Amino acid sequence: MPRGGARAVSGPPPDPRSLKSAASMEKGGWRTLPAEGRPGDPPEWPLTEPTGRELELWEDLWAKPQALAWEDMGQELEVALFVRTLAEVERPDARVDIKKMVRGYLDSLGLSVAGMNRNRWRIAPAADEPPAAGPESAPPVRRPSARDRLKVVPSGDGA
C-alpha cells in the first residue's frame, strides 16, 4: 500500500454500463444523482469579487446534478476556482497551462464522463424520458463456441 494508507488506483475508470460495474453499483459503490439537478440558489461566492461571467458560470454549475455531491463534500472553493479558471480560459489570450488546468477540474468535479466514472457517479434518467436499455434488460450475448462451428456431414455409405 502507498503511504498514507491510500490504495493505488490503476487502469481505466469503472464503466457503469458494463456488467461487472453494474454488479458493483448494486453493492452501493455508485451514487445516482437526480437528472433535475440541485434545487435552490447557489452557495455564496467564496473568492474575491466575481466578474459577471464568473457569476453566470457559478449559477449554471450549481444547478447541475453534480452540485449535490459538491455540496455534501463542501467543495464550494474548488468549484469557485474552476469557475475562475474557466472564465480565464475563455479569453482569446489564455495561456496553454491554464487550458490544461480546466481538464483536470472537469475530471475532478465529475463534469466529464471520465470524471463521473472515477467519482462513481451516474445521473438518473429524467422523469420525462423512458428508461434506457441497460445491461440488465438486454439478454447476454453468447459468443459461438468451436462446437457451434462444427458441421455434421453424413457418411454417404447409405446405411
Side-chain angles (χ1 to χ4, degrees):
M1 247 183 180
R3 281 188 194 169
R7 291 186 343 184
V9 178
S10 65
D15 181 356
R17 294 174 304 270
S18 76
L19 292 175
K20 185 176 180 183
S21 292
S24 72
M25 278 189 262
E26 292 171 9
K27 294 178 185 172
W30 288 75
R31 179 173 182 178
T32 301
L33 303 170
E36 49 283 347
R38 180 187 169 275
D41 294 331
E44 188 176 322
W45 177 258
L47 302 176
T48 58
E49 193 64 33
T51 65
R53 179 62 180 146
E54 287 173 342
L55 285 178
E56 284 178 36
L57 292 167
W58 180 252
E59 289 179 16
D60 180 55
L61 286 171
W62 282 99
K64 294 192 174 300
Q66 294 89 328
L68 290 165
W70 304 333
E71 190 170 47
D72 289 349
M73 295 185 287
Q75 289 188 288
E76 290 83 359
L77 183 60
E78 289 89 341
V79 177
L81 290 170
F82 170 62
V83 164
R84 184 147 283 171
T85 305
L86 186 57
E88 178 70 24
V89 136
E90 290 178 340
R91 295 172 29 137
D93 60 342
R95 298 184 336 248
V96 173
D97 60 329
I98 298 288
K99 292 177 182 180
K100 289 181 181 178
M101 287 176 62
V102 167
R103 184 61 183 172
Y105 279 122
L106 287 170
D107 288 344
S108 69
L109 293 173
L111 292 168
S112 66
V113 172
M116 290 278 292
N117 288 339
R118 274 194 194 93
N119 288 326
R120 293 184 172 266
W121 296 342
R122 63 181 178 170
I123 297 176
D128 60 345
E129 72 181 56
E136 63 279 350
S137 63
V141 176
R142 186 178 159 284
R143 295 180 60 169
S145 68
R147 175 168 279 194
D148 293 332
R149 292 189 297 265
L150 292 174
K151 292 183 178 180
V152 177
V153 179
S155 64
D157 62 354

